[in-house]
Amino acid sequence: MLLAYAAGWLDEPLSLVVESQAALNPESRKRLAAYEAIGGVLLDELPPAPLCREAIDRTLPRLDQAAEQAVPHRPAGTAPCGCGSRPRDGLPLPASLRRLVGSDLAALPWKWRMPGLSEVVLQVGGGQRVSLVRIAPGRRAPRHSHRGHEIALVLAGAFQDGTETYGAGDLQISDGTVDHEPRAIGDRPCICLTVLDAAVRLTGPFGRLLNPFIRG
């Protein structure tokens, strides 16, 4: 995904995941910078493309519009969400996500989904379901598989899935071959940014009864 992002191919939901991971994960940030640098070199090596005579006349007005819509300067230490102060939750999230969630994740309208698990659906274009999922310490998500793909980026806390442990900045990608029951570990909730392109399929003994009522 990093390479696709650097090339400008990703849609809004996946771009949000990449930007958030780069903000939280130094290794991801380093790799993304390398891909973008390579892309810049390749662009420099491309031969000039001829432009029609009207191109400059169409471009100059658009530059003026871009200048009028430019984001105002943000003083150092203020939050990228535009709230004028440091994020209350202390998480180094990118501006693209802060604009959706504000300065404090705890203040969001979390919806109860099951004991120990709540969710906030984010209004993001692209057709996928983009949400924040919060699992209480020691609690598990319901056992499930996937009808499509699920991307989960840990924003805070950690979870264990089988023998693997995922902490802040770690990314898990699951598909229909995965049947799992992630469990939040540690002494604070695990909060993940998730992107689903199809509804999950519950596989536990009681969850199977609910599958007809689950929507993506």
Side-chain angles (χ1 to χ4, degrees), residues 2 13 19 23 30 46 53-54 70 78 114-115 122 154 215:
L2 292 176
E19 292 165 5
K30 184 187 304 183
L46 290 175
R53 301 174 68 177
E54 296 81 11
T78 60
M114 62 176 291
L122 304 180
V154 182
R215 297 179 180 178

Side-chain angles (χ1 to χ4, degrees), residues 2 9 13 15 21 25 70-71 82 106 114-115 117 127-128 133 157 160 166 178 185 187-188 190 200 203 206 208:
L2 292 176
W9 297 337
S15 293
Q21 187 185 32
N25 188 315
V71 178
M114 62 176 291
L117 189 146
Q128 298 101 311
V133 175
Q160 188 173 44
Y166 300 84
V178 175
I185 58 176
D187 57 0
R188 60 175 180 159
C190 177
V200 299
T203 56
F206 298 106
R208 291 189 180 94

Side-chain angles (χ1 to χ4, degrees), residues 126-199:
Q128 298 101 311
R129 182 184 181 91
V130 182
S131 61
L132 299 182
V133 175
R134 182 175 63 189
I135 308 176
R139 293 283 192 167
R140 299 177 182 271
R143 176 164 290 281
H144 64 280
S145 185
H146 303 274
R147 294 181 172 91
H149 292 85
E150 177 189 56
I151 297 174
L153 171 68
V154 182
L155 301 179
F159 72 85
Q160 188 173 44
D161 192 6
T163 61
E164 300 293 328
T165 298
Y166 300 84
D170 290 338
L171 189 69
Q172 184 189 53
I173 301 177
S174 306
D175 59 17
T177 66
V178 175
D179 190 321
H180 59 164
E181 190 179 22
R183 178 175 66 90
I185 58 176
D187 57 0
R188 60 175 180 159
C190 177
I191 300 177
C192 295
L193 171 65
T194 67
V195 177
L196 287 168
D197 60 13

Side-chain angles (χ1 to χ4, degrees), residues 56-79:
I56 188 68
D57 295 329
R58 292 199 301 263
T59 302
L60 289 178
R62 296 179 64 182
L63 292 176
D64 292 337
Q65 293 174 5
E68 293 173 358
Q69 299 171 0
V71 178
H73 172 69
R74 179 168 59 88
T78 60

Side-chain angles (χ1 to χ4, degrees), residues 15-62:
S15 293
L16 189 64
V17 171
V18 170
E19 292 165 5
S20 300
Q21 187 185 32
L24 293 164
N25 188 315
E27 182 60 30
S28 175
R29 187 161 57 247
K30 184 187 304 183
R31 290 176 58 196
L32 180 58
Y35 288 142
E36 290 178 332
I38 293 171
V41 171
L42 293 176
L43 284 175
D44 287 341
E45 294 179 350
L46 290 175
L51 296 176
C52 65
R53 301 174 68 177
E54 296 81 11
I56 188 68
D57 295 329
R58 292 199 301 263
T59 302
L60 289 178
R62 296 179 64 182

